[in-house]
Amino acid sequence: MDKNQIMREAQKYAAKGMTDKALEEWNKYLSVNSTDGVAYNTIGDLYLKKKAKAEAISSFRTAAEIFSNEGFHVKAMAVYKKVIAI
């Protein structure tokens, strides 16, 4: 699997409003790179578009934990603010 190709497909589906297809592609990407906080953040945003709040919160929390573990504390706080807003 080519990670860049998967990301392009996911972004293409998201731009067309095909949220479920975009989520499928992002989940494929995570099977290759499960420590990408940006991907989890994006997935959380897609779940919010679907009104799936529990899934969005779960994705955002994972993203925040990854950011925090990598030392990106400001990014982690920004993602946690999304969780609080939900």
Side-chain angles (χ1 to χ4, degrees):
M1 274 190 242
D2 178 25
K3 291 189 282 187
N4 292 326
Q5 178 63 29
I6 294 170
M7 286 178 63
R8 281 192 296 274
E9 288 295 313
Q11 291 168 346
K12 179 180 77 173
Y13 288 131
K16 290 181 180 180
M18 301 170 72
T19 307
D20 290 329
K21 285 286 206 182
L23 283 167
E24 285 178 29
E25 292 298 319
W26 278 112
N27 284 318
K28 273 191 224 175
Y29 175 75
L30 288 178
S31 71
V32 177
N33 186 6
S34 64
T35 60
D36 187 340
V38 174
Y40 280 104
N41 188 40
T42 302
I43 289 170
D45 289 334
L46 289 170
Y47 276 127
L48 274 183
K49 284 184 181 181
K50 288 182 56 166
K51 307 282 190 245
K53 292 181 180 180
E55 291 87 349
I57 289 170
S58 176
S59 294
F60 288 142
R61 292 177 98 185
T62 302
E65 288 173 19
I66 291 169
F67 288 142
S68 181
N69 290 339
E70 292 178 351
F72 298 110
H73 302 293
V74 174
K75 283 185 178 185
M77 289 187 328
V79 176
Y80 279 129
K81 284 182 182 181
K82 286 183 176 184
V83 172
I84 292 169
I86 295 171

